[in-house]
Amino acid sequence: MKKPLRTITYGLGLLFLTMLFITSGMAQHAKQTYSRQDSLRGSITPEREWWDLVYYHLDIEVKPKQKSIEGSNTIYYKVVKPGKVMQIDLQQPMKIQGFFQNGKELDFKKEGNAYFVTFETHQEVGDLHFLEVAYSGSPRISPNPPWEGGLTWEEDKKGKPFIANSNQGDGASLWWPCKDHMYDEPDSMLISVKVPDPLMNVSNGRLREIEKHNDGKSTYHWFVSNPIANYGVNLSIADYAHFSEMYQGEIGPLSLDYYVLKENLEKAKVQFRDVPRLMRAFEHWFGPYPFYEDGFKLIEVPYLGMEHQSAVTYGNGYSNGYKGKDFSETGWGLTFDYIIIHEAGHEWFANNITYKDIADMWIHESFTTYSESLFLDYHYGVLAGNEYLQGARRIIRNDGPIIGDYGVNQRGSGDMYFKGANILHTLRQWIDNDEKWRGILRKMNKVFYHQTVTTVEIETFLAEESGLDLQAFFDQYLRTEKVPIFQYYWKDNKLYYRWENTIANFAMPLKINQSEKTYWIDPELGWKSTEKLAANVAIEVDPNFYIYTQQIQAIK
């Protein structure tokens, strides 16, 4: 017989979650319906599959007064399968003026946000070609950056333009024409952006040249020497102040560059001290920073922040926590600037290891949210990291699976953040060897270095490296919204226990504390018993396991 779930500990708590980055990604229980445009955006179509990205040169002018962009993107690609029609994406109201190859303008057809260009030259397998795409328009203004994509056009205190893009999920094709699917990345990229003086543009990679023009404008040429996901390509335009430092990292000196509004320069010099701290912690846990060649930049923008590769953007008001708040309500969340730590953590999980399909966005957000705990662990001790994650459970909703629907550009539940982090923390407890766990995280960043991945690949890697059978574990936590319930009762001086609210084959050992002693037990779906614990003496399930606990009346 069962008692009501009101006896459960580590319950849902308050459901007032105000984090828009979570609620914007919530999966719905109702069956989703998808359109042709969803499939064109979210699947590897035949018109995408036959060619492999090699290089982009994005060459544009940004016009602040008109809030418009015009220019071109030259796409260098390798033919990997026979093909004649190529899909390039650009979202309305932006428009493509023409496609050009070998000096000829090519025919194309438009279907919503997808353009299908037909080649005249035979596309021989193994050949390298390039396609120039001319375009212009006024891109969508982001209604709620960074959760609803587009460009943000603001001004600094002196009335000078302050401009930036944010477009994860909605797509880079909001403002530039590209192969807008995450499975394929160019090996490198040149980003050339012309802006009126005295503004400057800061993009990804390293500044190769500042080209001065006679019309009172300058073009900033930034070169990215590593593969880059399209959504991570960055525009940050303002009358910036710049300062920098060198960090002696795990594999050598790493440049740390900071671009901030001039009015915030002194505040930034204090607040950005978190950057060397995060580098020490994350290189310890995850291995070397993945983009030494491109350096690391932190750039002030007119929205909260984003994980643009080697050009992390920042708008947290120069305060610790998340806009001054601690999600965990433990105090630990106020010991660091949430946006600096979280968005920089994405350099390892999002920019180095990148999902192929946004349905697997948990790979980015779960590991990166977990990195916040590991930052605390490194600087303040393991208990600090543990308490932070336990406290943050109060905002987990368990509203749907963390994995979304594939092939339609659909992410899963926003629980991928703090629930995802607690899932990984639970796995750490199961492994029960912190040096082994650290080795797994470091090897993960090495094995999948600069690669796009799937959930299955990550699950397989973690199972092989841990030596554990994790399929049911991941099926339970990623593919359902159910939280396992550990049920128990005392009878005849024995502890009886089992798992409830789980999938059919779920099994996970559990650490029990009693009278300052620790015991491991192996609950299953059926009732089991043990006599190794003192009878009728209170027990505590290790709170680092993300489960619910329910003591029920003895079954007769």
Side-chain angles (χ1 to χ4, degrees), residues 291-311:
F291 307 105
Y292 268 75
E293 303 88 347
D294 292 327
F296 176 88
K297 292 185 292 299
L298 190 61
I299 310 161
E300 185 174 2
V301 291
Y303 63 88
L304 190 60
M306 196 71 204
E307 67 263 26
H308 297 124
Q309 181 175 309
S310 72

Side-chain angles (χ1 to χ4, degrees), residues 19-21 147 304 316 320-325 327 338-339:
M19 294 160 46
L20 291 175
F21 70 84
W147 305 285
L304 190 60
N316 198 35
N320 280 2
Y322 176 91
K323 297 181 179 179
K325 298 178 181 178
F327 289 128
Y338 180 92
I339 292 300

Side-chain angles (χ1 to χ4, degrees), residues 443-495:
K443 186 174 181 179
M444 183 177 171
N445 275 278
K446 186 176 182 180
V447 169
F448 298 110
Y449 183 72
H450 292 177
Q451 292 184 33
T452 58
V453 300
T454 65
T455 287
V456 171
E457 289 175 303
I458 297 301
E459 290 174 325
T460 300
F461 172 83
L462 291 173
E464 290 178 350
E465 293 302 314
S466 66
L468 302 174
D469 182 357
L470 298 177
Q471 190 59 61
F473 174 85
F474 285 121
D475 287 344
Q476 172 76 30
Y477 280 109
L478 299 180
R479 296 178 176 90
T480 81
E481 73 279 9
K482 297 179 179 179
V483 178
I485 301 173
F486 173 68
Q487 288 187 329
Y488 72 96
Y489 64 87
W490 294 96
K491 183 180 179 181
D492 299 330
N493 296 325
K494 294 181 182 179
L495 179 72

